[in-house]
């Protein structure tokens, strides 16, 4: 396929495969974090099924950012695979370290705070595989992702005291973008 079509496929495929779940979480995250004043209002806004202005703007910018970053990256398949595994790894790590903090009834209620070390090791194994393919660049991307997860975990703990499904979806989307940014920064520094 031409490069632009490949980028479009790489952008759309994960959204379709997840049923848009992570993008929906990102929209709710944007609405809640930017529209809420305290824990209760953030959770109430995120639980609302309607998408607000912050959510719509956030998703539009997310899709545009991913499209542009993917288009600028060489070695798209390896970096894409790393982004997909890193984004899922982020969810596992956040569920390992943070408790469920939602209003109840969410899917993440059954996993947040209940992930075991064995599951962390399994997820980490799948994170390391594509990083090895990318060599030193993969190593630096993974180190950057550790920082992203720390910052997201700190934000989620401070704002609502843990995680919800929406926050896990948002973390997944943010991690993907960060992988693309870190990989592109690595390419630019070697150019």
């Amino acid at each position: 396929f031409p490069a632009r079509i490949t980028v479009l496929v790489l952008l759309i495929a994960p959204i379709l495969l997840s049923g848009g779940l992570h993008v929906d979480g990102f929209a709710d995250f944007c609405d809640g974090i930017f529209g809420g004043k305290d824990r209760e209002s953030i959770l109430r806004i995120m639980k609302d099924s309607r998408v607000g202005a912050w959510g719509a703007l956030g998703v539009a910018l997310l899709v545009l950012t991913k499209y542009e970053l993917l288009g600028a990256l060489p070695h798209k398949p390896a970096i894409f695979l790393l982004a997909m595994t890193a984004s899922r790894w982020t969810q596992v790590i956040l569920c390992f370290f943070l408790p469920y903090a939602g209003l109840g009834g969410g899917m993440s209620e059954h996993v947040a705070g209940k992930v075991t070390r064995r599951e962390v090791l399994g997820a980490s194994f799948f994170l390391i595989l594509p990083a090895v393919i990318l060599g030193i660049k993969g190593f630096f991307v993974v180190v950057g992702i550790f920082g992203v997860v720390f910052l997201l975990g700190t934000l989620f703990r401070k704002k609502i005291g843990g995680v919800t499904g929406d926050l896990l979806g948002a973390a997944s989307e943010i991690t993907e973008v960060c992988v693309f940014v870190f990989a592109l920064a690595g390419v630019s520094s070697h150019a």
Side-chain angles (χ1 to χ4, degrees):
F1 293 115
R4 293 176 67 180
I5 301 301
T6 301
V7 167
L8 199 56
V9 169
L10 291 176
L11 180 66
I12 293 172
I15 295 171
L16 294 176
L17 289 173
S18 71
L21 195 60
H22 301 148
V23 174
D24 178 63
F26 183 77
D28 290 340
F29 161 79
C30 290
D31 280 336
I33 293 296
F34 295 114
K37 293 180 179 24
D38 54 27
R39 178 184 185 274
E40 288 71 28
S41 64
I42 291 170
L43 289 171
R44 185 177 31 78
I45 291 168
M46 287 195 310
K47 193 80 168 167
D48 190 338
S49 62
R50 295 170 294 182
V51 176
W54 284 113
L57 181 61
V59 169
L61 291 174
L62 174 74
V63 170
L64 179 62
T65 300
K66 282 187 182 184
Y67 183 83
E68 289 297 324
L69 289 169
L70 273 168
L73 283 168
H75 314 298
K76 288 175 189 46
I79 293 168
F80 177 77
L81 181 60
L82 180 57
M84 294 302 104
T85 57
S87 67
R88 277 51 177 189
W89 177 84
T90 296
Q91 292 181 18
V92 173
I93 298 303
L94 289 173
C95 284
F96 180 75
F97 285 107
L98 297 175
Y100 177 72
L103 299 174
M107 289 187 285
S108 66
E109 186 174 8
H110 303 290
V111 292
K114 298 175 183 165
V115 169
T116 67
R117 285 189 176 110
R118 181 178 174 191
E119 292 157 335
V120 168
L121 286 173
S124 297
F125 173 76
F126 286 104
L127 173 68
I128 298 303
L129 284 178
V132 168
I133 294 169
L134 287 166
I136 192 73
K137 183 192 318 177
F139 171 77
F140 285 115
V141 170
V142 168
V143 169
I145 294 308
F146 288 167
V148 170
V149 172
F150 175 78
L151 291 174
L152 288 173
T154 302
L155 173 69
F156 297 165
R157 186 179 295 278
K158 180 180 177 185
K159 289 290 188 180
I160 68 161
V163 293
T164 67
D166 288 332
L167 295 179
L168 292 174
S172 186
E173 293 297 327
I174 292 166
T175 300
E176 285 180 32
V177 168
C178 289
V179 168
F180 299 147
V181 168
F182 296 154
L184 191 59
V187 168
S188 299
S189 68
H190 290 90

